[in-house]
Amino acid sequence: MATNGGNGARATGPRCVALVGPFQSGKTTLLEAILARTGAIQRQGTIEAGNTVGDASKEARHHRMSVELTAATTNFMGDTYTFLDCPGSVEFVHDMRAVLPAIDVAVVVCEMDEKKVPQLQLILRELEDKKIPRILFVNKIDKGNAGVHDVLKLLQPASRTKLILRQIPTFAGDIISGFVDLALERAFVYKEHAPSEVVPLEADVADLEKTARFSMLETLADHDDELMEQLLEDIQPPRDKVFDDLTRELREGLVCPVLMGTATRANGVLRLMKALRHESPGIAETAKRLGVKAGSDAVAYVLKTLNTAHGGKMSVARVVSGQAGDGTTLLSGDDEAGRVAGVFKLVGQSTEKRGPATVGETVAFAKLDKAKTGDTLSAGKQAHAALAKVEPYPPVLAIAISAKERKDDVKLGQALHKLAEEDPSITIEHNPETHEVVLWGQGEMHLRVATERLSDRFGVAIERRQPSVGYRETIRKGVVQRGRHKKQSGGHGQYGDVVLDIRPLPRGGGFSFEEKITGGVVPRNYIPAVEEGIVDALAHGPLGFPVVDLTVALIDGSYHTVDSSDMAFRLAGRLGIVEALPQCQPVLLEPIHLVEIACPTEATAKINALMSGRRGQILGFDTREGWDGWDLVRAKMPEAEIGDLIVEIRSATAGAGTFTFKFDHMAELTGRTADQIIAARRAAE
Ligand SMILES: Nc1nc2c(ncn2[C@@H]2O[C@H](COP(=O)(O)OP(=O)(O)OP(=O)(O)O)[C@@H](O)[C@H]2O)c(=O)[nH]1
Ligand SMILES: [Mg+2]
């Protein structure tokens, strides 16, 4: 059983650590370095050579970025650690968000790059809000040292909790060659792919060290009165006390320690592992944070769902209570999630069969047919309450897809189901009007990778198009029109005759039908057929779109005792509308949405210009509540212009901006744009 002896004591039991951080900061490289330094792999691979444990999928290698979660388990000084390498791209952020509830600590890999600070801020906010302890790892310190002394000044604005610098760099000329550990007060020089070597603390560094250490202690003292007194009285606090404070304040989320290194050379990796070993919380605290009921049977949280070529469905999960092995039946809420058919240790794509998983361990369970990412699985009669629920962000970009070959239609349906199972931030919509299958996702790359997966992993070649915009048309003036269907062909004839009074309705009025027949000129039983005929015709107006916002009254007509029928009146109703509408000044309607864009304040002017350039009507902007340095811009915008809006918002905000949209109203559209839309529709037909 994992225990935690309270303040300062080292947590025990298997850990689960997420590697998160802005796009391309070096998370996958850091995972590789950790696996190499802890002996899980022989040699450290590189992104450039395409031989890393993470990013092993064809899509990730091809795009040279992480496009999904990689889990890898390793051992360090007798403890088990599972690292979850999360994609940094905002388009794949759900894979990160979904694992956060069950981790002990996050290592936030970042760079000393001003442009990446807004993204860092987004990630830190998420961790802060979820009360997840976090350590910053400033990577790529081999890339010039500009600003390394100012690292806190650069990064502090991204964090609402105080950052604590744990190390300062030391130099050989212009190059960072080592560091001083401020808690140990010891100097090290980096060795490539080997542990750093202890060296004497040079006199010129000692002064810097004193100042930096003092400011570290000052920050710790914000949450420790005794330490504060010692500092005020110039008493050197005992080393153990400093470590105890570092540990407690990290675990309680009061501070965020900052380490540094170079993942490509595995510099700073052992220091990071030691901080994780000694200071990070373990499963006991994580279970408490999650509200796991004491003494529960097996409880596990599903971090990720995979459909592997050989092993079938795998549910990557962390066991937060009890133990689960082969044959354990697991519940998810009121449903049975399935029976575990194999427990696997993961090191990226390599799987190794193992015995039951015990508390704290992160493993893959095979063949849990009904388990979904984010599910709380539990053994025993009574399902454990859900530990967390992470809803994906609403999708922002769509494409319409179809199988290249008709024969693949059924296969496409199944493949889409698996795709959405693996990635809940994808949604699939069937448009009944256009018969399009619309794939909604988080951005261009996300959708591109989704279609690549459909062909690479699930074997369905895809064609993609822009999804249709929900145009409608309406009329500007009314007319009274006769519709008459008469056919005399041999024996039984057909006869239906109606007079329709057609008038526009205000926007949003939809369609209404009224009958004003007197004297039975159209017998009662035929009237529903007349309405059906009208509805038929309205599905496709003279401009090529469904017709809305009009009312039609049946005011007159005639019938034939033998030749009239439902069918004849339906055709008459339809004919009346088809002939009437072109005389009613038809006009195109386009959907307008209410759009809300969240962006860093520096980008607000750019966003305003962007919106105006896209026929948007700016309604105003406010500071974003609870978000220092952020604005919320509101605008009304045509659906057609929202299509790829997210692409432009991201490029104007270094990837940090987001938006939501909601249908607001339909608006008339005339002139060149309308003509083009109508012409395109005709051509398509
Ligand atoms: N100079 C230098 N380059 C690095 C370092 N770490 C990673 N890189 C490079 O940075 C690029 C991105 O590295 P990744 O490990 O893929 O970064 P990532 O954070 O996993 O990227 P995403 O998962 O796509 O967000 C690659 O070209 C790496 O070789 C480092 O310490 N120094
Ligand atoms: Mg990566």
Side-chain angles (χ1 to χ4, degrees):
M1 181 62 206
T3 54
N4 172 21
N7 275 5
R10 197 168 77 73
T12 56
R15 314 292 177 86
C16 185
V17 182
L19 303 178
V20 303
F23 186 47
Q24 296 281 295
S25 59
K27 300 169 287 296
T28 304
T29 307
L30 180 61
L31 172 67
E32 193 71 10
I34 290 170
L35 295 177
R37 295 296 299 118
T38 57
I41 55 174
Q42 295 300 316
R43 266 191 73 224
Q44 183 174 338
T46 65
I47 300 295
E48 284 65 28
N51 58 356
T52 49
V53 168
D55 297 357
S57 73
K58 192 170 162 187
E59 301 80 32
R61 291 267 195 258
H62 175 62
H63 298 295
R64 289 218 178 157
M65 61 184 274
S66 298
V67 297
E68 67 196 317
L69 184 80
T70 297
T73 299
T74 186
N75 291 297
F76 180 64
M77 298 178 83
D79 285 325
T80 305
Y81 293 78
T82 299
F83 287 92
L84 306 171
D85 170 23
C86 301
S89 157
V90 287
E91 302 188 24
F92 299 90
V93 72
H94 188 71
D95 266 28
M96 171 193 91
R97 297 178 67 234
V99 306
L100 298 183
I103 62 169
D104 298 322
V105 61
V107 174
V108 185
V109 183
C110 62
E111 293 168 66
M112 284 177 296
D113 179 351
E114 196 183 3
K115 289 198 292 299
K116 290 191 174 179
V117 171
Q119 254 207 62
L120 177 64
Q121 183 189 24
L122 289 180
I123 292 162
L124 287 175
R125 281 192 78 96
E126 180 108 30
L127 297 168
E128 289 159 4
D129 291 344
K130 296 205 166 109
K131 305 200 174 359
I132 294 167
R134 55 218 164 261
I135 297 174
L136 268 187
F137 183 83
V138 180
N139 190 32
K140 306 194 186 180
I141 59 170
D142 57 325
K143 276 180 69 176
N145 55 63
V148 68
H149 291 296
D150 287 336
V151 57
L152 290 196
K153 205 158 128 209
L154 179 71
L155 301 180
Q156 183 63 64
S159 173
R160 286 179 288 180
T161 45
K162 266 286 181 72
L163 300 181
I164 280 205
L165 197 59
R166 287 286 311 273
Q167 303 172 305
I168 53 167
T170 52
F171 293 84
D174 276 349
I175 293 168
I176 296 178
S177 58
F179 65 94
V180 181
D181 185 303
L182 297 177
L184 289 172
E185 301 203 82
R186 214 178 274 163
F188 296 83
V189 286
Y190 290 128
K191 299 276 162 199
E192 200 164 346
H193 301 294
S196 303
E197 210 168 83
V198 182
V199 292
L201 213 142
E202 304 285 343
D204 58 334
V205 183
D207 278 350
L208 285 173
E209 191 274 339
K210 287 260 150 358
T211 322
R213 179 177 157 87
F214 188 76
S215 99
M216 175 182 89
L217 295 176
E218 258 185 326
T219 309
L220 286 176
D222 285 346
H223 308 280
D224 180 348
D225 293 341
E226 197 190 19
L227 179 61
M228 183 63 90
E229 273 171 35
Q230 290 170 342
L231 293 186
L232 289 174
E233 288 166 25
D234 234 357
I235 300 171
Q236 265 301 320
R239 187 186 280 177
D240 279 355
K241 176 168 187 56
V242 175
F243 276 109
D244 278 0
D245 276 7
L246 282 168
T247 304
R248 179 177 58 84
E249 295 186 19
L250 164 68
R251 291 183 192 176
E252 292 176 8
L254 300 170
V255 298
C256 173
V258 179
L259 301 173
M260 53 183 73
T262 299
T264 40
R265 297 158 166 262
N267 288 161
V269 169
L270 272 187
R271 207 39 250 138
L272 172 65
M273 287 306 296
K274 287 194 174 151
L276 291 174
R277 174 179 163 82
H278 292 283
E279 294 161 35
S280 81
I283 183 63
E285 271 158 303
T286 302
K288 209 187 294 163
R289 187 184 77 223
L290 284 169
V292 178
K293 267 197 289 192
S296 303
D297 286 331
V299 181
Y301 186 80
V302 182
L303 307 168
K304 174 79 184 165
T305 306
L306 299 167
N307 288 288
T308 61
H310 312 295
K313 180 171 167 182
M314 295 268 204
S315 303
V316 183
R318 183 166 201 215
V319 179
V320 294
S321 173
Q323 81 169 44
D326 248 339
T328 308
T329 297
L330 293 170
L331 301 175
S332 167
D334 294 334
D335 275 340
E336 202 168 278
R339 236 170 91 111
V340 176
V343 181
F344 295 87
K345 170 187 164 185
L346 297 176
V347 181
Q349 288 197 331
S350 95
T351 54
E352 186 185 306
K353 203 160 162 50
R354 44 155 294 162
T358 58
V359 65
E361 289 189 302
T362 305
V363 298
F365 291 120
K367 310 247 163 54
L368 292 175
D369 287 337
K370 293 216 180 112
K372 297 186 302 297
T373 303
D375 279 0
T376 299
L377 307 175
S378 58
K381 289 203 173 56
Q382 195 83 41
H384 194 287
L387 296 173
K389 186 83 204 130
V390 183
E391 292 296 339
Y393 288 131
V396 289
L397 189 66
I399 52 171
I401 58 164
S402 52
K404 243 185 198 136
E405 297 185 45
R406 273 309 279 273
K407 68 171 174 52
D408 281 346
D409 279 356
V410 174
K411 213 162 143 195
L412 174 61
Q414 293 162 348
L416 286 172
H417 174 77
K418 285 187 183 161
L419 190 72
E421 187 175 51
E422 289 188 357
D423 182 355
S425 67
I426 287 215
T427 46
I428 294 146
E429 207 178 76
H430 295 266
N431 184 335
E433 196 180 294
T434 57
H435 303 292
E436 282 172 342
V437 176
V438 180
L439 206 59
W440 279 94
Q442 307 292 330
E444 262 187 326
M445 185 56 87
H446 189 220
L447 290 173
R448 186 174 332 158
V449 167
T451 55
E452 286 168 359
R453 276 188 193 139
L454 287 173
S455 62
D456 298 344
R457 202 177 299 179
F458 304 120
V460 192
I462 293 295
E463 260 164 14
R464 49 180 290 173
R465 287 177 311 281
Q466 290 276 36
S468 315
V469 173
Y471 294 114
R472 297 284 182 270
E473 57 182 90
T474 190
I475 53 172
R476 280 175 160 170
K477 89 182 199 357
V479 74
V480 172
Q481 173 70 43
R482 166 153 254 140
R484 190 177 208 192
H485 177 68
K486 187 176 176 189
K487 226 176 206 166
Q488 210 65 54
S489 51
H492 210 0
Q494 294 175 32
Y495 185 88
D497 173 37
V498 297
V499 177
L500 304 177
D501 182 1
I502 299 157
R503 292 161 196 264
L505 284 182
R507 245 353 38 86
F511 163 68
S512 66
F513 174 75
E514 215 182 338
E515 61 97 357
K516 296 184 177 166
I517 293 297
T518 48
V521 291
V522 175
R524 208 124 292 276
N525 54 313
Y526 293 135
I527 293 176
V530 175
E531 185 177 355
E532 279 168 29
I534 294 169
V535 169
D536 287 348
L538 293 179
H540 191 272
L543 307 182
F545 299 95
V547 190
V548 295
D549 300 349
L550 78 174
T551 177
V552 180
L554 173 62
I555 54 171
D556 202 357
S558 64
Y559 74 104
H560 187 278
T561 43
V562 178
D563 291 348
S564 282
S565 64
D566 279 346
M567 182 49 75
F569 270 101
R570 184 167 177 164
L571 288 170
R574 181 185 175 131
L575 210 64
I577 294 292
V578 168
E579 284 175 11
L581 291 183
Q583 311 164 48
C584 297
Q585 291 181 5
V587 61
L588 194 65
L589 292 178
E590 68 169 344
I592 308 288
H593 295 261
L594 194 62
V595 177
E596 250 185 23
I597 299 166
C599 60
T601 306
E602 312 84 84
T604 303
K606 265 199 230 166
I607 292 293
N608 279 335
L610 173 67
M611 302 300 283
S612 309
R614 289 183 166 231
R615 299 195 286 136
Q617 180 203 343
I618 309 266
L619 302 174
F621 72 95
D622 273 317
T623 53
R624 189 179 186 191
E625 212 176 297
W627 288 70
D628 239 8
W630 281 66
D631 283 342
L632 210 55
V633 180
R634 286 179 309 118
K636 286 190 177 168
M637 191 170 214
E639 182 173 313
E641 302 286 342
I642 294 176
D644 60 349
L645 181 62
I646 189 63
V647 178
E648 307 255 349
I649 293 177
R650 292 206 175 120
S651 88
T653 59
T658 54
F659 82 107
T660 56
F661 63 101
K662 196 171 82 199
F663 174 76
D664 192 68
H665 67 283
M666 299 296 287
E668 283 187 13
L669 180 63
T670 53
R672 250 184 59 141
T673 319
D675 294 344
Q676 282 166 353
I677 292 162
I678 295 161
R681 180 74 173 189
R682 292 231 164 93
E685 278 166 6

